[in-house]
Amino acid sequence: MPKVSIVIPVYNGEKTLRRSLQSVADQTYRDFETIIVDNNCTDSSMDIAMEFEESINLKIIKCSVPGIVPALNTGVFHAQSEWVARQDDDDYWYPDKLEKQMAFLEANPDVGILGTQLRLLDPSGNEEEVG
C-alpha cells in the first residue's frame, strides 16, 4: 500500500492536465498512488491521464455527480493510503514537494494536516501578486 494517495478531480482539464500530471511524475518522493476522478469529462482529459499510467501509479475513478466536492469525496473514498495529497488539474508541484512534506510529517507525528505555499500564475506563466 502506498504512503500517499494523490487525489485529482478533473472536469475537462485537457489544457492544463498534462503539465499537472508531469509534475506528479517528476516527484522525488515515489511512494504514492494517483487517483484521477473523472467528473463527467467530455474532452481528452482521460486520454492525457492514461499517458502517465505507469509513471504515477494511476487509478481512474468515475464520479457522475457534478462538482468538486462529490469528486473529492469519491477520490478520498478510493484512497488506499495513510495520507491524502490534493491537487487540481491546473496545479503543478515543485519536484520535491511530497518529499519535503513527508519528511516534515514523519518528524512531527502530532501534525495531522499540512499545507504549502501558493503562487498564482497568469496564462503566460508569470507570477501574479496575491492581495
Side-chain angles (χ1 to χ4, degrees):
M1 174 170 54
K3 188 87 168 175
V4 180
S5 293
I6 302 168
V7 176
I8 307 173
V10 178
Y11 173 72
N12 292 346
E14 69 183 6
K15 292 181 181 175
T16 56
L17 185 60
R18 185 173 280 110
R19 182 178 186 184
S20 178
L21 295 181
Q22 187 61 56
S23 78
V24 173
D26 292 342
Q27 289 300 298
T28 55
Y29 184 87
R30 300 302 307 166
D31 191 8
F32 64 82
E33 66 177 353
T34 306
I35 301 171
I36 300 273
V37 183
D38 177 356
N39 198 212
N40 303 300
C41 292
T42 58
D43 65 0
S44 65
S45 292
M46 294 308 108
D47 294 330
I48 292 167
M50 289 304 295
E51 294 172 16
F52 293 87
E53 182 176 17
E54 292 180 25
S55 63
I56 63 172
N57 191 16
L58 179 66
K59 287 189 210 175
I60 296 177
I61 308 295
K62 294 212 178 265
C63 175
S64 60
V65 180
I68 194 165
V69 173
L72 285 170
N73 286 339
T74 298
V76 169
F77 178 79
H78 286 89
Q80 298 290 311
S81 304
E82 178 181 354
W83 294 100
V84 173
R86 179 176 156 7
Q87 185 180 31
D88 287 323
D89 60 23
D90 63 347
D91 292 344
Y92 63 97
W93 293 346
Y94 292 113
D96 59 352
K97 176 204 184 298
L98 284 179
E99 182 178 2
K100 286 180 176 179
Q101 285 185 302
M102 293 309 298
F104 182 88
L105 289 168
E106 288 173 13
N108 298 278
D110 55 320
V111 173
I113 189 168
L114 181 62
T116 61
Q117 182 181 14
L118 164 70
R119 294 185 184 176
L120 296 177
L121 304 178
D122 67 20
S124 300
N126 300 310
E127 192 170 335
E128 293 182 347
E129 287 190 38
V130 178

